[in-house]
Amino acid sequence: LRHVSRPRTLRVCLAYLITSDKDDLAYDKQHSALMELATIVASQPLDLLDFVSTLVRVLLFLEDKFDMDQFAEKRWDALMAFGVHAPLETCVLLVGEMRGNISLGNRLDALSILGSVARELSGMRMDTHQKPVSNSCDQEVVTSCSTRLQRVLSLHATPAGEEAKRVLSTQSSKTRRWRNPRTSPNTTANRFGPVSVQIMYTLFAFLSQTRNEKAIWGGPIGEK
């Protein structure tokens, strides 16, 4: 049974997230807000831009004080929803937070969100048959390689039998190319293009303006 009503607006979600720990329903309110927040943001309510800065900041520094199930996943989904549906506002907010004296974990979270939002907006998708690679940078390199190069470098684990079937299927399709109508390729709109210049400028401006600040780049927080 629900102890609190399901939040249907961003205002209610914010009120639930900032509930005092002394409130008897603090766990239920925070859990309900995290469960519904990504869906509400995806619906693009009229007051979305009014709550971006406040909610993104609250989510970035939100701690799992109640050992909640799926806390990290739902928090990430909510941040990603804001990044996808309000990319410029979210980017400016996250970069602004990185200027402060925050922990290395929060700074890495902000950078990870920006990278994931850029990939989501650009329509990048990983091949499900691709061999696992060590990190996200390696994955991007593998994705940019041609199919032939990936096969030569054994980046695709394709058994010999399946490879033979694929070759035969290709040859067969070439002989029947005049019989089968061509299907239109699946395309994904690149939504990162229109906002890429502003986002990259914000990041480079942050690097340029803070390059001599030891609070950001030096000591136990910035040296990594």
Side-chain angles (χ1 to χ4, degrees):
L1 295 177
R2 286 181 174 270
H3 297 93
V4 297
S5 59
R6 175 182 297 176
R8 300 186 182 278
T9 64
L10 296 177
R11 185 180 300 276
V12 176
C13 287
L14 176 60
Y16 280 7
L17 289 176
I18 62 177
T19 301
S20 173
D21 297 340
K22 298 180 180 179
D23 191 323
D24 294 338
L25 299 176
Y27 171 87
D28 299 288
K29 290 181 178 180
Q30 189 176 105
H31 182 266
S32 297
L34 289 176
M35 293 295 292
E36 301 295 333
L37 196 50
T39 303
I40 297 175
V41 174
S43 67
Q44 301 187 35
L46 297 177
D47 58 351
L48 174 60
L49 298 183
D50 297 332
F51 284 93
V52 169
S53 59
T54 304
L55 276 169
V56 169
R57 186 179 290 109
V58 169
L59 289 168
L60 181 64
F61 297 103
L62 190 64
E63 299 179 359
D64 186 10
K65 299 179 180 180
F66 304 104
D67 194 19
M68 190 179 301
D69 293 337
Q70 296 182 323
F71 173 85
E73 293 83 354
K74 293 302 180 181
R75 170 179 170 269
W76 178 267
D77 291 343
L79 286 168
M80 282 293 298
F82 277 109
V84 169
H85 297 285
L88 290 179
E89 294 76 9
T90 302
C91 173
V92 171
L93 187 280
L94 292 176
V95 172
E97 291 299 326
M98 287 192 291
R99 293 176 180 271
N101 188 19
I102 65 176
S103 67
L104 178 61
N106 289 130
R107 194 168 282 135
L108 291 177
D109 282 344
L111 290 174
S112 298
I113 293 165
L114 291 175
S116 298
V117 167
R119 285 190 290 271
E120 179 71 20
L121 291 175
S122 62
M124 292 179 60
R125 293 291 185 272
M126 299 302 298
D127 187 356
T128 56
H129 299 289
Q130 182 175 306
K131 223 174 136 180
V133 288
S134 57
N135 53 43
S136 59
C137 294
D138 293 336
Q139 290 178 356
E140 293 179 1
V141 172
V142 171
T143 305
S144 62
C145 296
S146 64
T147 305
R148 179 177 298 178
L149 182 57
Q150 292 181 20
R151 188 163 57 250
V152 171
L153 297 178
S154 299
L155 296 177
H156 284 276
T158 305
E162 294 184 4
E163 178 66 16
K165 292 180 180 179
R166 187 190 65 79
V167 172
L168 291 175
S169 176
T170 302
Q171 293 176 350
S172 177
S173 63
K174 288 181 179 180
T175 60
R176 298 195 306 266
R177 58 186 176 182
W178 301 114
R179 301 179 184 176
N180 297 330
R182 293 188 178 184
T183 58
S184 59
N186 294 327
T187 59
T188 302
N190 185 355
R191 294 178 291 165
F192 182 64
V195 297
S196 59
V197 175
Q198 295 92 326
I199 291 179
M200 295 304 298
Y201 174 81
T202 303
L203 289 172
F204 280 118
F206 166 72
L207 293 174
S208 175
Q209 296 170 5
T210 63
R211 64 182 184 277
N212 296 323
E213 295 187 16
K214 294 183 179 180
I216 295 179
W217 304 108
I221 294 179
E223 64 184 3
K224 296 182 180 180

